Amino acid sequence: REAIVAPEGKLVLAADLAQIEARITAVLAGQSDLVDAFANGEDVYCKFASQLFGREITKADERERFVGKQGILSLGFQAGASRFHSAMQSFGHNMTLQEAAKVVNTYRRTYPHIPELWGRMNDMLEWMASPLSHERGYRCKALAIKRIGPLEFTREAVKLPSRLHIYYPHLVREGRYNKEFTFMSYAQGKPMSSKIYGGMLTENVVQAMARIVMTDAELALAKHGIKAAMSVHDELVFVVPKTKVAEYALVIKSFMEKKVEWMPSLPVACEINYGKTYGDCK
């Protein structure tokens, strides 16, 4: 990050869509208490950590808040205790597998509509893999489509709010009672079988919708003459005049936080940071 340096007289400005994936997941699941917490500007990391540790957690409780943060940001896509434990270890945060399991179970109890969303997504995989969803389409197009929020599910595909599709060719269920499915993907030009399940489908569509929110803002800003230099995950990065950085920050933030037409209840928030290098924008 430090290697990316603004030209003389300019600064690097990073505009990050804060917790956008967690926010979209909460709206899609109908987890209204979490949506309201985001909308009201509450510290959801502290709020979840307080549930987890059984006492009020504030920003001063850095270790506990960090656990709450990782729970909010990483458990919305059906990650289990083992995966969460590995992630925390990679952050240098020592935690037993039993402690990781407690975080996972507390998350699922606290936000029960999110696990319900994984189940609904698994039902959509069943539908997407069913020959009936294709055959009915010839007789009645409406019967060949099922919906969750702004998403449309049909034979081996999900239609996004942008009208682009995510395709899962040759989607089949692995065994009669198995909740995992496989589809044909490609790696280095070679076909391979990949697994998918409710939580992973949730992750796919949520990340795709987060990208739509970001790129819609990027395109709108470009029409007003403010072009992004690059994007990283859910962040747009600009190079702006040093003397007008505050002015640019206000304009960019207003575009990034604009109401999303296809998900009007989504509380969008943008964090702005700037400096001489991209490394300063943390």
Side-chain angles (χ1 to χ4, degrees), residues 252-267:
I252 291 169
K253 185 176 175 66
S254 68
F255 274 88
M256 296 286 282
E257 293 184 341
K258 188 176 179 181
K259 185 176 181 180
V260 178
E261 291 183 2
W262 44 266
M263 190 174 269
S265 59
L266 176 66

Side-chain angles (χ1 to χ4, degrees), residues 131-170:
L132 288 176
S133 64
H134 180 66
E135 292 170 4
R136 289 175 180 172
Y138 288 111
R139 302 197 302 272
C140 178
K141 186 176 180 180
L143 291 177
I145 297 173
K146 290 187 180 291
R147 292 178 173 83
I148 295 179
L151 303 168
E152 295 182 358
F153 300 82
T154 186
R155 176 68 169 168
E156 297 181 345
V158 184
K159 185 179 179 182
L160 300 167
S162 61
R163 295 183 291 179
L164 296 175
H165 292 72
I166 304 176
Y167 290 100
Y168 299 93
H170 307 290

Side-chain angles (χ1 to χ4, degrees), residues 31 137 155 177 190 196 208-209 224 237 278:
Q31 192 66 55
R155 176 68 169 168
Y177 301 105
K190 297 180 180 179
I196 190 166
M209 287 190 284
H224 284 75
V237 183
Y278 183 42

